[in-house]
Amino acid sequence: MNKAVRRSRRHGTPLAYAGAVNTQTDVTYEPAAAAGDRVDGVIRALGLTPHPHPAHERAMLLLQGRGRAVAAIVPQSETFREDRRAIEALKASDRELPIIYVASGARPRRETAIRRLCIHYFLADPVECDELRLVLDVLLRSAESASSFERYFTR
């Protein structure tokens, strides 16, 4: 049996093949599933709970323990048009809610177009856990300081 081990150009993950490989359909590794697990792990570690956003079915609303929204996460869809609709629906429902866009790859033209929609953060796959944790930590701290400020002036 002819066995060869190749590395994925994108992530350096070893992929094992038995026999000859003629097409890309023989590869069964899906980095999007692994990225989703990492994102979910960071969200849960910070004490946030993800819920579907009522304005768009693909967007996830991140809620703090008291039920207050911290941010919305929008994963990349098949087309830019779908992404634009999702971001515009979120902005129409709450202009102050920070939007974190998670791209499935790094394409400069799409990144520029998404950033022009005035999102708060753009993260490209593979999502670095530390980067996402830093972004969410900053949003949590700014939300806490704003809530204490509101409590002081609403007495």
Side-chain angles (χ1 to χ4, degrees), residues 91-111:
K91 287 182 169 246
S93 69
D94 185 2
R95 292 204 62 75
E96 300 299 318
L97 183 68
I99 299 172
I100 301 170
Y101 181 83
V102 180
S104 60
R107 293 188 208 140
R109 291 182 70 193
R110 189 168 195 154
E111 180 179 350

Side-chain angles (χ1 to χ4, degrees), residues 32-46:
D37 292 341
R38 288 191 306 252
V39 169
D40 192 48
V42 170
I43 290 169
R44 299 218 186 265
L46 290 172

Side-chain angles (χ1 to χ4, degrees), residues 9-91:
R9 286 183 220 144
R10 189 168 182 205
H11 299 287
T13 306
L15 302 173
Y17 301 103
V21 176
N22 297 328
T23 64
Q24 284 290 343
T25 57
D26 294 336
V27 179
T28 59
Y29 177 71
E30 292 189 49
D37 292 341
R38 288 191 306 252
V39 169
D40 192 48
V42 170
I43 290 169
R44 299 218 186 265
L46 290 172
L48 300 172
T49 54
H51 292 283
H53 197 286
H56 201 272
E57 66 275 358
R58 283 189 316 105
M60 295 302 289
L61 188 62
L62 303 179
L63 300 176
Q64 219 172 4
R66 297 179 293 270
R68 210 168 55 90
V70 175
I73 293 185
V74 179
Q76 180 177 332
S77 65
E78 294 294 319
T79 65
F80 171 72
R81 188 172 294 170
E82 292 174 21
D83 291 338
R84 187 178 66 214
R85 275 193 220 124
I87 292 169
E88 287 173 352
L90 293 175
K91 287 182 169 246

